[in-house]
Amino acid sequence: MEKERKGRIIAIVGAPRAGKSFLVRKLAKHFGGGAILEGEEKDFPARLKDDIKENIRPLERMIWFRNKMVKDHMKAEALKKEGKIVVMDTFWMSLEPYIPILTEGFEREICQDIFDIDARSLTMPDLVILLQNSPENTRNFLKLGKRDFDAGKIYSDEYIVLNQEMHNKAFSKEKIPGKLIVLDRTNLDFEKGDDLQILLKEIEGNLSM
């Protein structure tokens, strides 16, 4: 009798333009499972794109992304129950790095309360991969990306560095024990078989596949 396949959820996290979506597609194709992506420009409401490009209305931006990530989490859990290996671009915990970056005062309290409720009620992925990238690579990826609003005034060098620092703090081995791979992809090219194979071996070792 063929052994029933065990479903898993792999989440790729990191600052904007670290190469998350590209890696999600690669891993989903390899494992033959589902890919849940943050989205391209056409997938976002016009008002939200203005919020990001002009760096305005942070609270509604945070709540919109939080709601999307929770709905994506529910979708991933359903696919996992079907025995599929699901690869996600961000997950509900990806809200945390942006709370100190985008909010302050009472708005920060609201966002932190939402995050704390989610942390108590939602499950963790089976594996989290934190992608790190150099500021130079991030700027290059921003230019190559298909989202016009990512080229907004918010993306200064200082913002890129701060965003990476906040992701490193949020996704630490202390917070995600035994479920985290930290990967500096500055000099990696996942189009190359060797670079991708090294990561695949580490993933399979962590998931005991």
Side-chain angles (χ1 to χ4, degrees):
M1 181 181 293
E2 185 178 346
K3 186 178 179 181
E4 185 178 354
R5 186 179 188 185
K6 186 176 180 181
R8 306 290 178 83
I9 298 175
I10 302 171
I12 315 295
V13 300
R17 292 310 181 195
K20 299 186 294 295
S21 298
F22 181 80
L23 185 57
V24 165
R25 292 187 182 97
K26 283 283 187 183
L27 295 181
K29 182 178 179 180
H30 173 80
F31 291 117
I36 298 177
L37 298 167
E38 185 181 48
E40 298 298 341
E41 186 157 1
K42 63 181 176 58
D43 302 314
F44 296 90
R47 181 180 173 96
L48 184 74
K49 289 186 278 190
D50 288 342
D51 290 352
I52 298 172
K53 189 169 185 177
E54 299 302 322
N55 194 22
I56 56 176
R57 299 186 288 260
L59 182 59
E60 69 178 36
R61 198 187 330 169
M62 295 283 284
I63 292 174
W64 190 92
F65 276 105
R66 178 266 173 192
N67 290 347
K68 182 185 185 303
M69 287 188 286
V70 170
K71 285 184 279 188
D72 286 346
H73 174 83
M74 294 167 67
K75 187 189 303 182
E77 286 285 351
L79 291 170
K80 177 181 176 178
K81 287 179 181 177
E82 295 175 8
K84 295 181 180 179
I85 296 176
V86 188
V87 190
M88 303 181 68
D89 175 358
T90 73
F91 73 107
W92 59 265
M93 199 172 168
S94 296
L95 182 74
E96 186 179 18
Y98 292 96
I99 295 174
I101 294 176
L102 297 180
T103 62
E104 58 185 16
F106 188 54
E107 290 189 352
R108 183 174 294 182
E109 290 180 26
I110 292 171
C111 291
Q112 188 63 54
D113 195 35
I114 291 171
F115 177 81
D116 291 342
I117 291 168
D118 287 344
R120 290 194 296 270
S121 58
L122 300 176
T123 59
M124 288 288 291
D126 297 281
L127 184 65
V128 178
I129 301 173
L130 170 61
L131 283 187
Q132 300 173 330
N133 206 2
S134 68
E136 182 179 3
N137 262 16
T138 301
R139 286 192 296 272
N140 290 336
F141 284 8
L142 283 166
K143 291 176 184 177
L144 293 171
K146 297 179 181 178
R147 303 196 313 202
D148 177 66
F149 57 86
D150 274 352
K153 59 187 179 183
I154 191 174
Y155 287 100
S156 64
D157 286 356
E158 291 79 11
Y159 177 81
I160 291 171
V161 171
L162 176 61
N163 207 307
Q164 182 68 73
E165 289 175 354
M166 290 297 101
H167 275 80
N168 291 344
K169 183 177 180 180
F171 298 101
S172 65
K173 292 185 177 180
E174 289 73 27
K175 288 189 175 184
I176 313 177
K179 293 186 175 183
L180 179 68
I181 294 175
V182 179
L183 185 65
D184 186 343
R185 58 103 63 244
T186 301
N187 296 312
L188 298 177
D189 182 354
F190 296 123
E191 289 282 21
K192 295 179 180 178
D194 289 346
D195 286 351
L196 185 61
Q197 285 302 317
I198 291 170
L199 176 59
L200 287 171
K201 286 181 181 179
E202 189 167 1
I203 290 172
E204 291 168 359
N206 275 269
L207 294 179
S208 300
M209 301 173 76

